[in-house]
Amino acid sequence: MGREKQLTKLHQWLTAGQRVSVWGMGGLGKSELVLQYWARHSQDYPSGLIWLEAPEEAGQDIVVFGSNCLHLEPSPELPIAQKVDRVWAQWPGEDRVLVVADNLNTLDDYRLVEKFLPSADRFCVLATSRVRLTGLKELPLEELSLPEAVELLERRSQAPERRSWDRAEAATLCQRLGRLPLAIALAGSYLAIDPNLSLGEISAELTARGLEAQYFQNPDLTVAQRGLNAVFDLSWQALDPPTQRLAALLAMFAAAPIEWRLVEKILISSGNPTLDQFSLRDLRQTLLRYALLQSVELPEEGLSGYQLHPLIWDYFRRQIPNCLDQPARQAFVTVLVAEAETIAYNAPLEDYEKARASIPHIAEVAETWANDLADEDLITPYTGLSRFYEGFLDYQLSEVYLNKGLSLSRRRLPQNHPDIAAALNNLAVLYKFLGRYNEAEPLYTEVLLILSKFLPKNDPILAITLNNLAELYQVQEKYKEAELLYKNALDIDLKSLPASYLNLATHLNNLGGLYQAQGRYSEAEPLYTEGLSIIRQILLPDHPQLARHLNNLAGLYQAQGRYSEAESLYTEALAIDRQSLVSNHPYLASHLHNLGFLYRSQEKYSEAESFYREAIAIDRQSLRPNHPQLANHLNNLALLCEMQKKYREADPLYREALAIFEVSLGTGHSDTRTVRANYERFLQQLNNE
């Protein structure tokens, strides 16, 4: 089973006269390690071995061993302690003796045995325990390395004799079993019975039944005397009720590292007057002492947390119904909902990194504990998860969670509930960003229909929805409809200040963008500048939203031929993007492209091409293959290549851009028509030359 380093340390410490405790959670193979040690080093103990297994009978077992195996006969009338001393004193020979005290799984077990242990240097004492024992040199036993785990599975399952064997699949199964030697040995022994049984079938049963899987219940006696559940039962029974409740609470989290601050918040939220942070720490220490909880590093640098072994997590989770009432579960869900609420839309990358450690546990609420969510919190976990994954450009997962939140809200809430409207809006925003305009429009329309039934006509939420639909109409070139909705949104913003101050800045900027798209520059500039002034006042100087306002005003200056002013704003926007966004964010690509476009206008072709190509590389990483932004950037790079007479490079760029626009916007869209005209002119020019 490997463990070479541990066996070496064990021998060094024992032969140096130190008492050693091999400790760790059940199933790690502590007794197996001692057997391996004896098989390897029995010659180093010429005077023999004594193995003690029942702590409460330790003294009597030593006396009986002395009588039966060493033919020592202490006087019957002596107290048990003196009989034991006589056995040690009369032990034959003068060489080393290995004294093994196995399964000292509580501190009381150790106290029962300790008083009978020999003091002479020739007796080398080795204990195994699930709890840390003071006064002994500790040899902590951890899970097997992945290569060791796979080797154990292959040996136990007789892999060379099986019809098929996939090492990658075996490694995945070992990881799911937490690389726990007992679990792997039981699964391998079960596989060995039937050469037709596949790793996939074993994994499927683990998914469906967890610790109730058949191969954990009826062990091969050559592997263990007990099934895995029975092994864990012994540790569970050693815990007092408050520690058991903490263990069950930890199992409500995902099988992932846990920030302890979340556990403390749940304690405060539950209102338990008998448990403060100090007694909670003591309970945590008990779980650590029994190796049922592990200290781990969290993703955020400098932070530490705690994690349950995956099979211990499964065992503790099965205790939740008996240990935690509904208020306790509600406290857990409430705290994780609050965590989800801190995840903002389009936040700086640093904010998403801070949330990373909470994400598996928020997902656990969304996937497992949704029935415990209060109606007012239904969509919050799903919205937070969607924002997080969109921040890291995982749009597929973002969409999955938004759809799950919408589906849950439709099942649980009245037909026209505002949270249904919020869920619809979030999904529509994502679809619009992804260029899926036909899917976004009916969602926005339904949102407006719901909101108009219960919101006052000047509510800021209504303004946001009007703006969102206006943005969609703008990209679809429905300019009149878009302008009307933008103005309606601004009218609401002005009537609901100061609550809508940020919305006002955004909506001013968007109406400015509409006017710029129509060539109405003199009307666009005051809207842009007013919106930018507001943003500078209320947001941090490295906020991504500030970068977008700077970029938009720069675009207007460029259109007016004010290149110096435009370059300054573009450069400031890019500096913010590089600091606050992931390195392959679509907004960064857009702003890189815009600065490239400025340089092209100034005939700085080399600089322009560099920015264009960087933007396209980001587009290909972060956007779907037929996104309009990619097509626009390809078209402009094609034009630049054409200007430099790089015709072989220009041709495939034009063709790809046109194909994308035809799919995403349709053949009649102005962008599609523009690229088609560019390509036709390019081909005509080639023919003429």
Side-chain angles (χ1 to χ4, degrees):
M1 195 173 64
R3 308 291 201 191
E4 292 301 322
K5 291 181 180 179
Q6 291 87 345
L7 288 167
T8 300
K9 282 185 179 180
L10 187 56
H11 190 58
Q12 290 173 348
W13 293 345
L14 285 171
T15 55
Q18 294 179 300
R19 292 185 174 186
V20 180
S21 168
V22 178
W23 78 282
M25 63 177 279
L28 282 172
K30 299 179 290 294
S31 300
E32 172 67 20
L33 182 74
V34 176
L35 289 171
Q36 283 190 57
Y37 176 75
W38 176 251
R40 183 173 299 190
H41 293 288
S42 58
Q43 71 277 6
D44 296 310
Y45 299 90
S47 293
L49 160 75
I50 179 171
W51 192 294
L52 306 174
E53 290 188 301
E56 65 280 0
E57 302 293 337
Q60 188 60 39
D61 288 346
I62 294 168
V63 173
V64 171
F65 182 87
S67 175
N68 294 341
C69 300
L70 305 178
H71 309 295
L72 304 175
E73 295 296 339
S75 177
E77 65 271 9
L78 289 176
I80 187 67
Q82 292 184 25
K83 291 180 181 180
V84 170
D85 288 342
R86 291 286 179 88
V87 172
W88 299 133
Q90 298 176 28
W91 195 286
E94 298 179 357
D95 296 308
R96 289 194 193 100
V97 178
L98 183 61
V99 180
V100 177
D102 198 17
N103 293 321
L104 305 184
N105 291 325
T106 68
L107 295 177
D108 287 340
D109 288 344
Y110 179 54
R111 294 187 189 102
L112 288 171
V113 173
E114 183 183 21
K115 58 188 177 184
F116 297 119
L117 294 176
S119 57
D121 291 343
R122 63 183 293 228
F123 293 97
C124 301
V125 176
L126 172 57
T128 70
S129 178
R130 300 182 188 190
V131 62
R132 301 183 73 166
L133 303 176
T134 56
L136 278 71
K137 183 74 172 179
E138 293 180 346
L139 181 66
L141 212 56
E142 298 178 345
E143 299 87 350
L144 296 172
S145 69
L146 187 56
E148 289 173 336
V150 172
E151 189 276 330
L152 175 60
L153 182 63
E154 289 178 338
R155 179 157 45 84
R156 285 289 182 178
S157 62
Q158 301 174 6
E161 301 174 18
R162 305 189 70 79
R163 288 187 170 84
S164 64
W165 187 261
D166 185 330
R167 287 209 100 200
E169 196 173 2
T172 299
L173 176 59
C174 288
Q175 289 283 40
R176 294 192 60 202
L177 294 172
R179 306 194 309 280
L180 190 70
L182 177 57
I184 293 167
L186 290 171
S189 178
Y190 192 73
L191 278 164
I193 297 171
D194 183 356
N196 295 316
L197 189 62
S198 70
L199 289 166
E201 290 174 289
I202 289 286
S203 293
E205 185 174 359
L206 181 62
T207 299
R209 303 179 66 187
L211 285 176
E212 299 302 321
Q214 184 63 32
Y215 44 87
F216 290 152
Q217 305 311 313
N218 299 311
D220 179 344
L221 294 179
T222 65
V223 176
Q225 298 299 311
R226 303 182 184 93
L228 202 55
N229 258 322
V231 169
F232 292 160
D233 282 341
L234 294 175
S235 294
W236 179 257
Q237 291 159 10
L239 305 178
D240 61 20
T243 310
Q244 289 179 344
R245 285 193 290 273
L246 174 60
L249 173 63
L250 294 175
M252 288 194 71
F253 288 88
I258 303 166
E259 292 180 89
W260 197 252
R261 66 176 182 84
L262 297 177
V263 183
E264 292 177 336
K265 283 184 176 181
I266 294 167
L267 166 66
I268 296 170
S269 179
S270 67
N272 186 339
T274 65
L275 198 61
D276 58 24
Q277 62 176 325
F278 303 110
S279 53
L280 180 63
R281 183 186 61 195
D282 292 340
L283 300 181
R284 182 185 71 197
Q285 290 296 95
T286 300
L287 293 174
L288 289 167
R289 188 180 300 119
Y290 279 91
L292 298 172
L293 186 66
Q294 301 168 342
S295 177
V296 295
E297 293 297 318
L298 292 173
E300 190 174 351
E301 186 177 352
L303 291 181
S304 60
Y306 299 89
Q307 184 171 6
L308 298 171
H309 184 280
L311 295 180
I312 289 289
W313 173 83
D314 186 280
Y315 180 90
F316 284 172
R317 178 158 283 205
R318 294 171 187 274
Q319 315 308 317
I320 289 174
N322 297 324
C323 293
L324 300 180
D325 56 16
Q326 200 279 332
R329 297 196 306 274
Q330 186 65 52
F332 170 85
V333 168
T334 299
V335 167
L336 270 299
V337 164
E339 287 295 301
E341 287 177 334
T342 67
I343 304 173
Y345 180 67
N346 277 336
L349 176 60
E350 179 183 357
D351 290 355
Y352 292 126
E353 289 292 354
K354 288 179 180 178
R356 186 184 292 277
S358 299
I359 292 302
H361 310 303
I362 297 171
E364 194 67 21
V365 170
E367 301 290 351
T368 304
W369 308 112
N371 288 340
D372 292 298
L373 286 167
D375 284 352
E376 61 269 22
D377 296 331
L378 274 189
I379 68 170
T380 305
Y382 305 94
T383 303
L385 291 165
S386 172
R387 288 172 176 174
F388 175 83
Y389 285 112
E390 186 172 346
F392 287 100
L393 313 181
D394 191 338
Y395 302 117
Q396 184 175 1
L397 258 182
S398 178
E399 181 183 357
V400 165
Y401 279 116
L402 288 178
N403 272 307
K404 286 185 175 182
L406 175 59
S407 176
L408 180 63
S409 63
R410 287 195 190 277
R411 291 198 309 270
R412 290 263 304 265
L413 300 175
Q415 185 175 2
N416 293 318
H417 195 280
D419 282 353
I420 295 178
L424 287 163
N425 181 79
N426 292 338
L427 188 57
V429 169
L430 178 65
Y431 285 159
K432 180 173 72 67
F433 175 76
L434 295 175
R436 294 160 62 177
Y437 304 133
N438 291 336
E439 295 171 82
E441 185 170 356
L443 298 180
Y444 278 137
T445 302
E446 186 177 355
V447 171
L448 278 174
L449 183 64
I450 294 173
L451 295 181
S452 64
K453 292 183 178 179
F454 69 88
L455 285 181
K457 61 181 181 179
N458 292 325
D459 192 285
I461 295 176
L462 192 58
I464 293 172
T465 307
L466 289 167
N467 171 83
N468 290 343
L469 184 56
E471 287 184 309
L472 181 65
Y473 284 154
Q474 181 177 336
V475 297
Q476 294 176 304
E477 297 183 317
K478 300 176 181 178
Y479 294 140
K480 289 184 178 179
E481 295 93 328
E483 183 174 2
L484 177 62
L485 293 177
Y486 278 140
K487 288 181 174 179
N488 288 344
L490 284 169
D491 185 57
I492 295 173
D493 291 336
L494 292 169
K495 291 176 180 177
S496 56
L497 291 173
S500 60
Y501 210 37
L502 182 58
N503 292 339
L504 175 62
T506 300
H507 301 165
L508 286 166
N509 178 81
N510 291 348
L511 181 57
L514 176 67
Y515 287 157
Q516 181 182 341
Q518 297 175 286
R520 298 159 64 179
Y521 300 148
S522 61
E523 296 173 81
E525 184 171 356
L527 296 171
Y528 276 147
T529 54
E530 185 180 356
L532 179 58
S533 176
I534 294 171
I535 288 294
R536 286 195 187 277
Q537 293 176 50
I538 62 178
L539 292 182
L540 293 173
D542 63 346
H543 198 285
Q545 193 164 336
L546 172 58
R548 291 193 288 279
H549 281 257
L550 291 165
N551 176 82
N552 292 344
L553 181 57
L556 177 66
Y557 287 160
Q558 179 180 342
Q560 295 173 303
R562 297 157 64 179
Y563 296 143
S564 177
E565 295 170 88
E567 183 174 3
S568 175
L569 294 176
Y570 278 141
T571 302
E572 184 181 355
L574 276 175
I576 294 172
D577 287 339
R578 293 192 189 278
Q579 182 176 349
S580 62
L581 299 176
V582 291
S583 60
N584 59 343
H585 198 287
Y587 288 151
L588 174 59
S590 178
H591 297 172
L592 285 164
H593 169 270
N594 291 345
L595 183 54
F597 187 64
L598 174 67
Y599 287 145
R600 195 192 83 184
S601 302
Q602 297 174 288
E603 298 185 355
K604 299 177 180 179
Y605 295 145
S606 177
E607 294 95 325
E609 184 171 347
S610 175
F611 282 104
Y612 276 167
R613 292 193 181 278
E614 185 179 356
I616 289 171
I618 293 174
D619 289 337
R620 293 196 189 279
Q621 291 178 53
S622 61
L623 298 175
R624 61 188 176 88
N626 60 344
H627 195 283
Q629 176 171 303
L630 172 60
N632 180 50
H633 294 175
L634 289 166
N635 173 71
N636 287 338
L637 178 58
L639 282 167
L640 181 63
C641 290
E642 182 183 350
M643 290 175 178
Q644 300 175 86
K645 300 189 182 300
K646 298 179 179 179
Y647 299 137
R648 289 185 178 179
E649 296 180 50
D651 185 86
L653 294 170
Y654 275 132
R655 284 189 282 108
E656 185 179 0
L658 181 58
I660 291 173
F661 272 138
E662 287 178 342
V663 170
S664 60
L665 299 181
T667 57
H669 193 279
S670 63
D671 287 344
T672 309
R673 295 197 304 270
T674 297
V675 175
R676 185 182 298 111
N678 288 343
Y679 188 43
E680 290 173 352
R681 176 192 46 72
F682 168 74
L683 293 176
Q684 183 63 46
Q685 181 175 329
L686 284 182
N687 291 332
N688 293 339
E689 292 186 6

